[in-house]
Amino acid sequence: MRRRSSIPRKAIYRLSVYLRCLDRLKENAIHSVSSEALATAAGVAPAQLRKDLTYFGQFGTRGLGYDVERLARKIRDTLGTTRLQPAIVIGVGNLGAALISYRGFAPAGFEIIAGFDSDPRRQRNKRFAQSILPMGRLKDFVRSHRVKIAILAVPATAAQDVANHLVTSGVSGILNFSPILLHVPEHVIVNNVNLAIELENLSYFIKS
Amino acid sequence: MRRRSSIPRKAIYRLSVYLRCLDRLKENAIHSVSSEALATAAGVAPAQLRKDLTYFGQFGTRGLGYDVERLARKIRDTLGTTRLQPAIVIGVGNLGAALISYRGFAPAGFEIIAGFDSDPRRQRNKRFAQSILPMGRLKDFVRSHRVKIAILAVPATAAQDVANHLVTSGVSGILNFSPILLHVPEHVIVNNVNLAIELENLSYFIKS
């Protein structure tokens, strides 16, 4: 296996897509798949698929295709989602509330175990399975539950301060929904999801 | 100005980021900005910023920097968000409900004018400023309101059918939250936001 940092970031996204295709094959009781069929399902060129999988070791058997179960397990190992990983949501407004209850995280191996908010008791038209805790309890919680991943859904004005607080508490991966660029130490990874920017981008391409 | 298709997609994302920085400068009553300062605020290299802006025509005045107001207006023109654009949300579950009420779209120039759901009357612990309409009314609504942009938040199993329906109704930009790859005609643009994949990606990079 190559060194972690030498694998292109986009290849790791594609691994996630392959994993979803494999999970669908499993649901349909399909046990082996050719690289051509898997590539088509994932929407990539077969050569791309084969190249991506070699980054993570040798999976296929020439002429027999891939064992669906085994390849899925190997990808999960590589992504580090074999066991359920705890994650927290910071900022329980409109969007944060939806993210706490979002059902799409669990199948991918993530469990949202708590929400944090500067005003945990504010009126919300919603009940949660998880506790909504005050920011003052963040550091202890992150440490005792060994939380590495946080989803940041606070207003832009608060985002950098909260990110600093997360980092000093021990979080090393932030999924950032706030519309600002976060400055974090090198060992921390930030993935940005900027919904307004996604729409702007569409707008540009559909302008007539 | 170059042909639309020759501008790299990533440059258009960066334009959106520059626009947010300019808006913050405006709020702070700052009227002109050097390319170095704007690049730093946006988190890119000054050479990258200058290159990006030349894709869209000549904005700067040598030695004087950029006029904040004028550059922001030019970027909005380019992105097609000078006037408020209507958009709709399809699938008013947990995530769709949050997107309908999301306050971050309006400042970027988008107005969510309705939601659509296969069961518009299902129990939701929430009231919306917009109407939630049945899917049967989609086509007429899209045509009469000239909607070009739709946000897709339906389950994976329904996503392709709904996307087909959107395309035949006249939508040409889809922000897709469903975890599948959509097949659409060439004139239609799809941007994918896959929240679970974003977390998996973080997970890979923080694996110790």
Side-chain angles (χ1 to χ4, degrees):
Chain A
M1 193 177 287
R2 294 198 192 182
R3 278 192 52 235
R4 200 147 282 271
S5 56
S6 71
I7 301 171
R9 203 154 164 146
K10 288 206 163 169
I12 295 157
Y13 271 101
R14 286 192 297 267
L15 270 200
S16 288
V17 175
Y18 304 150
L19 184 55
R20 275 155 188 74
C21 296
L22 292 167
D23 284 345
R24 273 203 297 281
L25 291 172
K26 265 203 291 188
E27 281 163 22
N28 292 306
I30 294 167
H31 302 296
S32 105
V33 64
S34 69
S35 55
E36 286 74 18
L38 183 54
T40 304
V44 306
Q48 177 75 73
L49 171 83
R50 283 189 293 262
K51 183 169 176 239
D52 285 341
L53 295 186
T54 59
Y55 278 123
F56 307 92
Q58 193 58 55
F59 292 117
T61 311
R62 194 169 289 277
L64 287 174
Y66 300 107
D67 180 302
V68 168
E69 181 86 41
R70 194 164 148 254
L71 180 54
R73 198 167 51 235
K74 279 229 170 193
I75 294 180
R76 282 207 171 78
D77 271 355
T78 303
L79 294 172
T81 56
T82 314
R83 285 167 303 171
L84 216 54
Q85 271 208 47
I88 55 176
V89 170
I90 319 293
V92 189
N94 227 333
L95 186 63
L99 292 169
I100 286 183
S101 317
Y102 183 54
R103 288 190 211 93
F105 290 137
F110 299 92
E111 185 188 8
I112 309 292
I113 60 171
F116 287 83
D117 198 280
S118 58
D119 182 5
R121 286 159 184 265
R122 73 168 135 157
Q123 179 61 39
R124 293 180 181 89
N125 297 323
K126 216 169 168 176
R127 266 177 296 173
F128 300 102
Q130 303 94 330
S131 305
I132 310 299
L133 304 171
M135 292 301 287
R137 289 189 50 195
L138 182 69
K139 186 172 277 184
D140 280 348
F141 188 94
V142 164
R143 290 187 175 171
S144 60
H145 293 78
R146 295 166 187 247
V147 176
K148 294 288 166 206
I149 291 183
I151 300 173
L152 193 58
V154 301
T157 47
Q160 184 62 55
D161 278 352
V162 173
N164 296 346
H165 194 29
L166 285 168
V167 169
T168 57
S169 302
V171 164
S172 52
I174 298 174
L175 186 56
N176 176 35
F177 283 85
S178 306
I180 72 153
L181 195 85
L182 298 174
H183 298 276
V184 295
E186 233 177 53
H187 73 280
V188 177
I189 303 289
V190 176
N191 277 5
N192 294 297
V193 180
N194 191 311
L195 301 177
I197 284 185
E198 293 291 339
L199 274 194
E200 272 183 13
N201 189 265
L202 279 182
S203 170
Y204 172 80
F205 283 103
I206 68 171
K207 237 177 66 173
S208 51
Chain B
M1 193 176 287
R2 295 200 192 182
R3 279 192 50 234
R4 199 146 284 272
S5 56
S6 71
I7 301 172
R9 204 155 164 143
K10 289 205 162 169
I12 295 157
Y13 272 100
R14 286 192 298 265
L15 270 201
S16 289
V17 175
Y18 304 149
L19 185 54
R20 273 156 191 74
C21 296
L22 292 166
D23 284 345
R24 273 202 299 280
L25 291 172
K26 265 201 293 186
E27 282 164 21
N28 292 307
I30 295 168
H31 302 295
S32 104
V33 64
S34 68
S35 55
E36 286 74 18
L38 184 53
T40 304
V44 306
Q48 177 75 73
L49 171 84
R50 283 190 291 263
K51 183 168 177 239
D52 286 341
L53 295 185
T54 60
Y55 279 123
F56 307 92
Q58 195 56 54
F59 291 119
T61 310
R62 194 170 292 274
L64 287 175
Y66 301 107
D67 181 301
V68 168
E69 182 85 42
R70 192 163 152 256
L71 181 53
R73 198 168 51 238
K74 280 230 170 193
I75 294 181
R76 283 208 170 78
D77 271 355
T78 303
L79 294 172
T81 55
T82 314
R83 284 167 303 171
L84 215 55
Q85 273 209 47
I88 55 176
V89 171
I90 320 293
V92 189
N94 226 333
L95 186 64
L99 293 168
I100 287 183
S101 317
Y102 183 55
R103 288 191 211 92
F105 290 137
F110 299 92
E111 185 187 8
I112 309 292
I113 60 172
F116 288 84
D117 198 282
S118 57
D119 181 5
R121 288 158 183 266
R122 73 166 134 159
Q123 179 61 39
R124 294 180 181 88
N125 298 324
K126 214 168 170 176
R127 267 176 294 173
F128 300 102
Q130 305 92 332
S131 305
I132 310 300
L133 303 171
M135 292 300 288
R137 290 190 48 195
L138 181 70
K139 186 172 277 183
D140 279 350
F141 188 94
V142 164
R143 289 187 177 171
S144 61
H145 291 79
R146 295 166 188 247
V147 176
K148 293 290 167 205
I149 290 184
I151 298 173
L152 193 58
V154 301
T157 48
Q160 184 62 55
D161 279 353
V162 173
N164 296 346
H165 194 29
L166 285 167
V167 170
T168 58
S169 302
V171 164
S172 51
I174 298 174
L175 186 56
N176 176 36
F177 283 85
S178 306
I180 72 154
L181 195 86
L182 297 175
H183 298 276
V184 295
E186 232 176 54
H187 73 279
V188 177
I189 303 288
V190 177
N191 278 4
N192 296 297
V193 180
N194 191 311
L195 302 177
I197 285 185
E198 294 291 341
L199 275 193
E200 271 182 14
N201 189 264
L202 279 183
S203 169
Y204 172 80
F205 283 103
I206 68 170
K207 237 175 69 172
S208 51

